[in-house]
PDB file of all heavy atoms in Angstrom:
ATOM      1  N   ALA A   1       1.094  -2.205  -9.206  1.00  0.00           N
ATOM      2  CA  ALA A   1       1.956  -2.811  -8.182  1.00  0.00           C
ATOM      3  C   ALA A   1       2.174  -1.758  -7.113  1.00  0.00           C
ATOM      4  O   ALA A   1       2.099  -0.560  -7.355  1.00  0.00           O
ATOM      5  CB  ALA A   1       3.292  -3.231  -8.795  1.00  0.00           C
ATOM      6  N   PHE A   2       2.491  -2.207  -5.876  1.00  0.00           N
ATOM      7  CA  PHE A   2       2.717  -1.326  -4.760  1.00  0.00           C
ATOM      8  C   PHE A   2       3.999  -1.844  -4.055  1.00  0.00           C
ATOM      9  O   PHE A   2       3.960  -2.912  -3.440  1.00  0.00           O
ATOM     10  CB  PHE A   2       1.505  -1.297  -3.856  1.00  0.00           C
ATOM     11  CG  PHE A   2       1.566  -0.276  -2.777  1.00  0.00           C
ATOM     12  CD1 PHE A   2       2.611   0.634  -2.660  1.00  0.00           C
ATOM     13  CD2 PHE A   2       0.532  -0.181  -1.834  1.00  0.00           C
ATOM     14  CE1 PHE A   2       2.643   1.597  -1.677  1.00  0.00           C
ATOM     15  CE2 PHE A   2       0.572   0.772  -0.808  1.00  0.00           C
ATOM     16  CZ  PHE A   2       1.626   1.684  -0.721  1.00  0.00           C
ATOM     17  N   SER A   3       5.074  -1.108  -4.131  1.00  0.00           N
ATOM     18  CA  SER A   3       6.340  -1.500  -3.552  1.00  0.00           C
ATOM     19  C   SER A   3       6.756  -0.476  -2.509  1.00  0.00           C
ATOM     20  O   SER A   3       6.575   0.702  -2.698  1.00  0.00           O
ATOM     21  CB  SER A   3       7.438  -1.628  -4.615  1.00  0.00           C
ATOM     22  OG  SER A   3       7.070  -2.523  -5.616  1.00  0.00           O
ATOM     23  N   ILE A   4       7.320  -1.025  -1.391  1.00  0.00           N
ATOM     24  CA  ILE A   4       7.902  -0.186  -0.338  1.00  0.00           C
ATOM     25  C   ILE A   4       9.366  -0.478  -0.243  1.00  0.00           C
ATOM     26  O   ILE A   4       9.724  -1.700  -0.001  1.00  0.00           O
ATOM     27  CB  ILE A   4       7.177  -0.343   0.981  1.00  0.00           C
ATOM     28  CG1 ILE A   4       5.686   0.031   0.892  1.00  0.00           C
ATOM     29  CG2 ILE A   4       7.850   0.455   2.081  1.00  0.00           C
ATOM     30  CD1 ILE A   4       4.906  -0.134   2.171  1.00  0.00           C
ATOM     31  N   VAL A   5      10.205   0.512  -0.443  1.00  0.00           N
ATOM     32  CA  VAL A   5      11.708   0.275  -0.351  1.00  0.00           C
ATOM     33  C   VAL A   5      12.268   1.257   0.668  1.00  0.00           C
ATOM     34  O   VAL A   5      11.612   2.183   1.114  1.00  0.00           O
ATOM     35  CB  VAL A   5      12.313   0.547  -1.754  1.00  0.00           C
ATOM     36  CG1 VAL A   5      11.795  -0.436  -2.778  1.00  0.00           C
ATOM     37  CG2 VAL A   5      12.076   1.975  -2.209  1.00  0.00           C
ATOM     38  N   GLY A   6      13.511   0.939   1.076  1.00  0.00           N
ATOM     39  CA  GLY A   6      14.154   1.772   2.088  1.00  0.00           C
ATOM     40  C   GLY A   6      14.425   1.072   3.410  1.00  0.00           C
ATOM     41  O   GLY A   6      14.274   1.661   4.475  1.00  0.00           O
ATOM     42  N   LEU A   7      14.709  -0.235   3.333  1.00  0.00           N
ATOM     43  CA  LEU A   7      15.027  -1.056   4.505  1.00  0.00           C
ATOM     44  C   LEU A   7      13.842  -1.121   5.473  1.00  0.00           C
ATOM     45  O   LEU A   7      13.981  -0.875   6.671  1.00  0.00           O
ATOM     46  CB  LEU A   7      16.264  -0.494   5.232  1.00  0.00           C
ATOM     47  CG  LEU A   7      17.178  -1.523   5.908  1.00  0.00           C
ATOM     48  CD1 LEU A   7      17.679  -2.591   4.915  1.00  0.00           C
ATOM     49  CD2 LEU A   7      18.340  -0.884   6.600  1.00  0.00           C
ATOM     50  N   PRO A   8      12.653  -1.554   4.989  1.00  0.00           N
ATOM     51  CA  PRO A   8      11.507  -1.651   5.930  1.00  0.00           C
ATOM     52  C   PRO A   8      11.541  -3.040   6.573  1.00  0.00           C
ATOM     53  O   PRO A   8      12.012  -4.018   6.000  1.00  0.00           O
ATOM     54  CB  PRO A   8      10.308  -1.583   4.940  1.00  0.00           C
ATOM     55  CG  PRO A   8      10.784  -2.121   3.667  1.00  0.00           C
ATOM     56  CD  PRO A   8      12.260  -1.739   3.615  1.00  0.00           C
ATOM     57  N   ASP A   9      10.979  -3.140   7.777  1.00  0.00           N
ATOM     58  CA  ASP A   9      10.836  -4.447   8.398  1.00  0.00           C
ATOM     59  C   ASP A   9       9.484  -5.058   7.967  1.00  0.00           C
ATOM     60  O   ASP A   9       8.768  -4.458   7.150  1.00  0.00           O
ATOM     61  CB  ASP A   9      10.952  -4.332   9.933  1.00  0.00           C
ATOM     62  CG  ASP A   9       9.747  -3.697  10.582  1.00  0.00           C
ATOM     63  OD1 ASP A   9       8.944  -3.069   9.875  1.00  0.00           O
ATOM     64  OD2 ASP A   9       9.629  -3.753  11.793  1.00  0.00           O
ATOM     65  N   THR A  10       9.136  -6.183   8.536  1.00  0.00           N
ATOM     66  CA  THR A  10       7.911  -6.869   8.077  1.00  0.00           C
ATOM     67  C   THR A  10       6.651  -6.034   8.352  1.00  0.00           C
ATOM     68  O   THR A  10       5.765  -5.990   7.486  1.00  0.00           O
ATOM     69  CB  THR A  10       7.812  -8.203   8.855  1.00  0.00           C
ATOM     70  OG1 THR A  10       8.972  -9.010   8.575  1.00  0.00           O
ATOM     71  CG2 THR A  10       6.537  -8.963   8.366  1.00  0.00           C
ATOM     72  N   ALA A  11       6.580  -5.367   9.473  1.00  0.00           N
ATOM     73  CA  ALA A  11       5.422  -4.534   9.785  1.00  0.00           C
ATOM     74  C   ALA A  11       5.277  -3.387   8.774  1.00  0.00           C
ATOM     75  O   ALA A  11       4.145  -3.040   8.416  1.00  0.00           O
ATOM     76  CB  ALA A  11       5.511  -3.998  11.209  1.00  0.00           C
ATOM     77  N   VAL A  12       6.356  -2.799   8.384  1.00  0.00           N
ATOM     78  CA  VAL A  12       6.312  -1.727   7.392  1.00  0.00           C
ATOM     79  C   VAL A  12       5.918  -2.246   6.022  1.00  0.00           C
ATOM     80  O   VAL A  12       5.115  -1.618   5.312  1.00  0.00           O
ATOM     81  CB  VAL A  12       7.627  -0.937   7.371  1.00  0.00           C
ATOM     82  CG1 VAL A  12       7.595   0.158   6.310  1.00  0.00           C
ATOM     83  CG2 VAL A  12       7.957  -0.362   8.727  1.00  0.00           C
ATOM     84  N   ARG A  13       6.471  -3.412   5.613  1.00  0.00           N
ATOM     85  CA  ARG A  13       6.117  -3.931   4.346  1.00  0.00           C
ATOM     86  C   ARG A  13       4.666  -4.287   4.245  1.00  0.00           C
ATOM     87  O   ARG A  13       4.025  -4.145   3.197  1.00  0.00           O
ATOM     88  CB  ARG A  13       6.980  -5.173   4.053  1.00  0.00           C
ATOM     89  CG  ARG A  13       8.405  -4.881   3.684  1.00  0.00           C
ATOM     90  CD  ARG A  13       9.107  -6.126   3.088  1.00  0.00           C
ATOM     91  NE  ARG A  13       9.119  -7.238   4.046  1.00  0.00           N
ATOM     92  CZ  ARG A  13      10.138  -7.466   4.858  1.00  0.00           C
ATOM     93  NH1 ARG A  13      11.167  -6.656   4.879  1.00  0.00           N
ATOM     94  NH2 ARG A  13      10.087  -8.528   5.670  1.00  0.00           N
ATOM     95  N   GLU A  14       4.092  -4.755   5.359  1.00  0.00           N
ATOM     96  CA  GLU A  14       2.664  -5.121   5.363  1.00  0.00           C
ATOM     97  C   GLU A  14       1.753  -3.915   5.343  1.00  0.00           C
ATOM     98  O   GLU A  14       0.539  -4.069   5.205  1.00  0.00           O
ATOM     99  CB  GLU A  14       2.371  -5.984   6.612  1.00  0.00           C
ATOM    100  CG  GLU A  14       2.995  -7.363   6.551  1.00  0.00           C
ATOM    101  CD  GLU A  14       2.821  -8.125   7.848  1.00  0.00           C
ATOM    102  OE1 GLU A  14       2.379  -7.495   8.857  1.00  0.00           O
ATOM    103  OE2 GLU A  14       3.043  -9.340   7.873  1.00  0.00           O
ATOM    104  N   ALA A  15       2.347  -2.696   5.451  1.00  0.00           N
ATOM    105  CA  ALA A  15       1.530  -1.485   5.322  1.00  0.00           C
ATOM    106  C   ALA A  15       0.866  -1.390   3.978  1.00  0.00           C
ATOM    107  O   ALA A  15      -0.167  -0.716   3.825  1.00  0.00           O
ATOM    108  CB  ALA A  15       2.415  -0.244   5.553  1.00  0.00           C
ATOM    109  N   ARG A  16       1.368  -2.053   2.938  1.00  0.00           N
ATOM    110  CA  ARG A  16       0.766  -2.014   1.618  1.00  0.00           C
ATOM    111  C   ARG A  16      -0.680  -2.448   1.713  1.00  0.00           C
ATOM    112  O   ARG A  16      -1.603  -1.794   1.148  1.00  0.00           O
ATOM    113  CB  ARG A  16       1.541  -2.908   0.678  1.00  0.00           C
ATOM    114  CG  ARG A  16       2.935  -2.448   0.395  1.00  0.00           C
ATOM    115  CD  ARG A  16       3.683  -3.472  -0.458  1.00  0.00           C
ATOM    116  NE  ARG A  16       3.767  -4.759   0.200  1.00  0.00           N
ATOM    117  CZ  ARG A  16       4.463  -5.797  -0.266  1.00  0.00           C
ATOM    118  NH1 ARG A  16       5.035  -5.678  -1.446  1.00  0.00           N
ATOM    119  NH2 ARG A  16       4.503  -6.912   0.400  1.00  0.00           N
ATOM    120  N   GLU A  17      -0.943  -3.580   2.376  1.00  0.00           N
ATOM    121  CA  GLU A  17      -2.300  -4.084   2.435  1.00  0.00           C
ATOM    122  C   GLU A  17      -3.210  -3.247   3.360  1.00  0.00           C
ATOM    123  O   GLU A  17      -4.379  -3.062   3.071  1.00  0.00           O
ATOM    124  CB  GLU A  17      -2.294  -5.544   2.926  1.00  0.00           C
ATOM    125  CG  GLU A  17      -1.417  -6.476   2.069  1.00  0.00           C
ATOM    126  CD  GLU A  17      -1.779  -6.370   0.612  1.00  0.00           C
ATOM    127  OE1 GLU A  17      -2.975  -6.277   0.289  1.00  0.00           O
ATOM    128  OE2 GLU A  17      -0.839  -6.454  -0.243  1.00  0.00           O
ATOM    129  N   ARG A  18      -2.617  -2.736   4.460  1.00  0.00           N
ATOM    130  CA  ARG A  18      -3.438  -1.889   5.366  1.00  0.00           C
ATOM    131  C   ARG A  18      -3.806  -0.595   4.666  1.00  0.00           C
ATOM    132  O   ARG A  18      -4.957  -0.119   4.778  1.00  0.00           O
ATOM    133  CB  ARG A  18      -2.632  -1.624   6.656  1.00  0.00           C
ATOM    134  CG  ARG A  18      -2.463  -2.819   7.520  1.00  0.00           C
ATOM    135  CD  ARG A  18      -1.928  -2.411   8.919  1.00  0.00           C
ATOM    136  NE  ARG A  18      -0.596  -1.832   8.851  1.00  0.00           N
ATOM    137  CZ  ARG A  18       0.544  -2.481   8.911  1.00  0.00           C
ATOM    138  NH1 ARG A  18       0.502  -3.809   9.025  1.00  0.00           N
ATOM    139  NH2 ARG A  18       1.723  -1.842   8.878  1.00  0.00           N
ATOM    140  N   VAL A  19      -2.843   0.016   3.979  1.00  0.00           N
ATOM    141  CA  VAL A  19      -3.160   1.286   3.268  1.00  0.00           C
ATOM    142  C   VAL A  19      -4.149   1.071   2.151  1.00  0.00           C
ATOM    143  O   VAL A  19      -5.092   1.849   1.971  1.00  0.00           O
ATOM    144  CB  VAL A  19      -1.847   1.882   2.748  1.00  0.00           C
ATOM    145  CG1 VAL A  19      -2.125   3.043   1.769  1.00  0.00           C
ATOM    146  CG2 VAL A  19      -0.941   2.330   3.885  1.00  0.00           C
ATOM    147  N   ARG A  20      -4.011   0.005   1.387  1.00  0.00           N
ATOM    148  CA  ARG A  20      -4.930  -0.291   0.306  1.00  0.00           C
ATOM    149  C   ARG A  20      -6.368  -0.403   0.827  1.00  0.00           C
ATOM    150  O   ARG A  20      -7.294   0.212   0.332  1.00  0.00           O
ATOM    151  CB  ARG A  20      -4.523  -1.572  -0.399  1.00  0.00           C
ATOM    152  CG  ARG A  20      -5.347  -1.885  -1.665  1.00  0.00           C
ATOM    153  CD  ARG A  20      -5.141  -3.323  -2.100  1.00  0.00           C
ATOM    154  NE  ARG A  20      -3.709  -3.680  -2.114  1.00  0.00           N
ATOM    155  CZ  ARG A  20      -2.940  -3.575  -3.248  1.00  0.00           C
ATOM    156  NH1 ARG A  20      -3.516  -3.087  -4.366  1.00  0.00           N
ATOM    157  NH2 ARG A  20      -1.690  -3.891  -3.233  1.00  0.00           N
ATOM    158  N   ALA A  21      -6.576  -1.231   1.876  1.00  0.00           N
ATOM    159  CA  ALA A  21      -7.916  -1.445   2.425  1.00  0.00           C
ATOM    160  C   ALA A  21      -8.467  -0.185   3.051  1.00  0.00           C
ATOM    161  O   ALA A  21      -9.693   0.143   2.961  1.00  0.00           O
ATOM    162  CB  ALA A  21      -7.921  -2.599   3.417  1.00  0.00           C
ATOM    163  N   ALA A  22      -7.615   0.558   3.792  1.00  0.00           N
ATOM    164  CA  ALA A  22      -8.075   1.792   4.452  1.00  0.00           C
ATOM    165  C   ALA A  22      -8.524   2.818   3.473  1.00  0.00           C
ATOM    166  O   ALA A  22      -9.579   3.490   3.680  1.00  0.00           O
ATOM    167  CB  ALA A  22      -6.969   2.333   5.335  1.00  0.00           C
ATOM    168  N   LEU A  23      -7.793   3.006   2.341  1.00  0.00           N
ATOM    169  CA  LEU A  23      -8.221   4.010   1.360  1.00  0.00           C
ATOM    170  C   LEU A  23      -9.574   3.659   0.758  1.00  0.00           C
ATOM    171  O   LEU A  23     -10.476   4.527   0.647  1.00  0.00           O
ATOM    172  CB  LEU A  23      -7.135   4.098   0.275  1.00  0.00           C
ATOM    173  CG  LEU A  23      -6.159   5.292   0.351  1.00  0.00           C
ATOM    174  CD1 LEU A  23      -5.320   5.143   1.613  1.00  0.00           C
ATOM    175  CD2 LEU A  23      -5.253   5.318  -0.857  1.00  0.00           C
ATOM    176  N   VAL A  24      -9.762   2.396   0.366  1.00  0.00           N
ATOM    177  CA  VAL A  24     -11.027   2.022  -0.262  1.00  0.00           C
ATOM    178  C   VAL A  24     -12.180   2.154   0.720  1.00  0.00           C
ATOM    179  O   VAL A  24     -13.257   2.612   0.402  1.00  0.00           O
ATOM    180  CB  VAL A  24     -10.877   0.597  -0.800  1.00  0.00           C
ATOM    181  CG1 VAL A  24     -12.247   0.066  -1.291  1.00  0.00           C
ATOM    182  CG2 VAL A  24      -9.887   0.499  -1.940  1.00  0.00           C
ATOM    183  N   ASN A  25     -11.989   1.720   1.977  1.00  0.00           N
ATOM    184  CA  ASN A  25     -13.064   1.724   2.933  1.00  0.00           C
ATOM    185  C   ASN A  25     -13.398   3.131   3.454  1.00  0.00           C
ATOM    186  O   ASN A  25     -14.439   3.349   4.079  1.00  0.00           O
ATOM    187  CB  ASN A  25     -12.729   0.832   4.124  1.00  0.00           C
ATOM    188  CG  ASN A  25     -12.763  -0.637   3.786  1.00  0.00           C
ATOM    189  OD1 ASN A  25     -13.599  -1.087   2.967  1.00  0.00           O
ATOM    190  ND2 ASN A  25     -11.854  -1.437   4.373  1.00  0.00           N
ATOM    191  N   CYS A  26     -12.514   4.105   3.192  1.00  0.00           N
ATOM    192  CA  CYS A  26     -12.781   5.489   3.591  1.00  0.00           C
ATOM    193  C   CYS A  26     -13.336   6.311   2.406  1.00  0.00           C
ATOM    194  O   CYS A  26     -13.448   7.516   2.495  1.00  0.00           O
ATOM    195  CB  CYS A  26     -11.550   6.154   4.149  1.00  0.00           C
ATOM    196  SG  CYS A  26     -11.054   5.563   5.780  1.00  0.00           S
ATOM    197  N   GLY A  27     -13.619   5.672   1.290  1.00  0.00           N
ATOM    198  CA  GLY A  27     -14.187   6.375   0.132  1.00  0.00           C
ATOM    199  C   GLY A  27     -13.144   6.961  -0.809  1.00  0.00           C
ATOM    200  O   GLY A  27     -13.530   7.660  -1.776  1.00  0.00           O
ATOM    201  N   PHE A  28     -11.874   6.705  -0.616  1.00  0.00           N
ATOM    202  CA  PHE A  28     -10.878   7.192  -1.562  1.00  0.00           C
ATOM    203  C   PHE A  28     -10.656   6.146  -2.655  1.00  0.00           C
ATOM    204  O   PHE A  28     -11.108   4.987  -2.558  1.00  0.00           O
ATOM    205  CB  PHE A  28      -9.543   7.424  -0.845  1.00  0.00           C
ATOM    206  CG  PHE A  28      -9.615   8.527   0.180  1.00  0.00           C
ATOM    207  CD1 PHE A  28      -9.582   8.242   1.530  1.00  0.00           C
ATOM    208  CD2 PHE A  28      -9.704   9.876  -0.216  1.00  0.00           C
ATOM    209  CE1 PHE A  28      -9.580   9.269   2.518  1.00  0.00           C
ATOM    210  CE2 PHE A  28      -9.745  10.879   0.712  1.00  0.00           C
ATOM    211  CZ  PHE A  28      -9.704  10.572   2.075  1.00  0.00           C
ATOM    212  N   GLU A  29      -9.947   6.499  -3.685  1.00  0.00           N
ATOM    213  CA  GLU A  29      -9.635   5.632  -4.794  1.00  0.00           C
ATOM    214  C   GLU A  29      -8.203   5.122  -4.653  1.00  0.00           C
ATOM    215  O   GLU A  29      -7.314   5.912  -4.463  1.00  0.00           O
ATOM    216  CB  GLU A  29      -9.833   6.332  -6.125  1.00  0.00           C
ATOM    217  CG  GLU A  29      -9.484   5.450  -7.300  1.00  0.00           C
ATOM    218  CD  GLU A  29      -9.504   6.246  -8.611  1.00  0.00           C
ATOM    219  OE1 GLU A  29      -9.928   7.414  -8.584  1.00  0.00           O
ATOM    220  OE2 GLU A  29      -9.061   5.681  -9.647  1.00  0.00           O
ATOM    221  N   PHE A  30      -8.056   3.823  -4.770  1.00  0.00           N
ATOM    222  CA  PHE A  30      -6.714   3.290  -4.761  1.00  0.00           C
ATOM    223  C   PHE A  30      -6.216   3.225  -6.218  1.00  0.00           C
ATOM    224  O   PHE A  30      -6.821   2.507  -7.037  1.00  0.00           O
ATOM    225  CB  PHE A  30      -6.640   1.886  -4.136  1.00  0.00           C
ATOM    226  CG  PHE A  30      -5.243   1.388  -3.967  1.00  0.00           C
ATOM    227  CD1 PHE A  30      -4.465   1.767  -2.905  1.00  0.00           C
ATOM    228  CD2 PHE A  30      -4.681   0.578  -4.924  1.00  0.00           C
ATOM    229  CE1 PHE A  30      -3.182   1.325  -2.755  1.00  0.00           C
ATOM    230  CE2 PHE A  30      -3.377   0.089  -4.814  1.00  0.00           C
ATOM    231  CZ  PHE A  30      -2.634   0.471  -3.702  1.00  0.00           C
ATOM    232  N   PRO A  31      -5.174   3.995  -6.581  1.00  0.00           N
ATOM    233  CA  PRO A  31      -4.775   4.042  -7.963  1.00  0.00           C
ATOM    234  C   PRO A  31      -4.275   2.730  -8.536  1.00  0.00           C
ATOM    235  O   PRO A  31      -3.415   2.106  -7.917  1.00  0.00           O
ATOM    236  CB  PRO A  31      -3.647   5.133  -7.981  1.00  0.00           C
ATOM    237  CG  PRO A  31      -3.399   5.449  -6.562  1.00  0.00           C
ATOM    238  CD  PRO A  31      -4.380   4.803  -5.695  1.00  0.00           C
ATOM    239  N   LEU A  32      -4.775   2.301  -9.649  1.00  0.00           N
ATOM    240  CA  LEU A  32      -4.379   1.093 -10.280  1.00  0.00           C
ATOM    241  C   LEU A  32      -3.179   1.362 -11.220  1.00  0.00           C
ATOM    242  O   LEU A  32      -3.237   1.282 -12.457  1.00  0.00           O
ATOM    243  CB  LEU A  32      -5.507   0.459 -11.044  1.00  0.00           C
ATOM    244  CG  LEU A  32      -6.685  -0.029 -10.176  1.00  0.00           C
ATOM    245  CD1 LEU A  32      -7.808  -0.588 -11.052  1.00  0.00           C
ATOM    246  CD2 LEU A  32      -6.238  -1.033  -9.152  1.00  0.00           C
ATOM    247  N   ARG A  33      -2.069   1.797 -10.623  1.00  0.00           N
ATOM    248  CA  ARG A  33      -0.869   2.114 -11.313  1.00  0.00           C
ATOM    249  C   ARG A  33       0.290   1.565 -10.595  1.00  0.00           C
ATOM    250  O   ARG A  33       0.148   0.894  -9.593  1.00  0.00           O
ATOM    251  CB  ARG A  33      -0.747   3.655 -11.473  1.00  0.00           C
ATOM    252  CG  ARG A  33      -1.831   4.329 -12.270  1.00  0.00           C
ATOM    253  CD  ARG A  33      -1.544   5.778 -12.542  1.00  0.00           C
ATOM    254  NE  ARG A  33      -2.489   6.424 -13.389  1.00  0.00           N
ATOM    255  CZ  ARG A  33      -2.374   7.625 -13.929  1.00  0.00           C
ATOM    256  NH1 ARG A  33      -1.317   8.349 -13.639  1.00  0.00           N
ATOM    257  NH2 ARG A  33      -3.298   8.141 -14.693  1.00  0.00           N
ATOM    258  N   ARG A  34       1.479   1.829 -11.080  1.00  0.00           N
ATOM    259  CA  ARG A  34       2.661   1.391 -10.392  1.00  0.00           C
ATOM    260  C   ARG A  34       3.021   2.362  -9.317  1.00  0.00           C
ATOM    261  O   ARG A  34       3.289   3.573  -9.613  1.00  0.00           O
ATOM    262  CB  ARG A  34       3.852   1.187 -11.331  1.00  0.00           C
ATOM    263  CG  ARG A  34       5.100   0.667 -10.615  1.00  0.00           C
ATOM    264  CD  ARG A  34       6.066   0.067 -11.613  1.00  0.00           C
ATOM    265  NE  ARG A  34       7.213  -0.515 -10.855  1.00  0.00           N
ATOM    266  CZ  ARG A  34       7.208  -1.678 -10.268  1.00  0.00           C
ATOM    267  NH1 ARG A  34       6.128  -2.439 -10.328  1.00  0.00           N
ATOM    268  NH2 ARG A  34       8.271  -2.137  -9.673  1.00  0.00           N
ATOM    269  N   ILE A  35       3.065   1.957  -8.064  1.00  0.00           N
ATOM    270  CA  ILE A  35       3.274   2.806  -6.895  1.00  0.00           C
ATOM    271  C   ILE A  35       4.559   2.369  -6.199  1.00  0.00           C
ATOM    272  O   ILE A  35       4.732   1.223  -5.880  1.00  0.00           O
ATOM    273  CB  ILE A  35       2.082   2.720  -5.880  1.00  0.00           C
ATOM    274  CG1 ILE A  35       0.773   3.065  -6.608  1.00  0.00           C
ATOM    275  CG2 ILE A  35       2.338   3.658  -4.723  1.00  0.00           C
ATOM    276  CD1 ILE A  35      -0.460   2.754  -5.782  1.00  0.00           C
TER     277      ILE A  35
END
């Protein structure tokens, strides 16, 4: 799971999907753990 806390707005909450895709497409590993 990937959770963002700390009073984020919609654009910040949607960073989960952007970060996930960016890491994989740049050759990094997206950890399959609780984040």
Side-chain angles (χ1 to χ4, degrees):
F2 190 2
S3 302
I4 299 179
V5 297
L7 213 58
D9 72 346
T10 302
V12 179
R13 286 195 298 268
E14 291 174 347
R16 295 174 299 184
E17 305 306 323
R18 292 193 295 271
V19 170
R20 186 195 310 269
L23 261 63
V24 172
N25 289 325
C26 289
F28 296 108
E29 177 187 354
F30 187 82
L32 297 178
R33 297 188 176 188
R34 182 161 184 81
I35 305 169

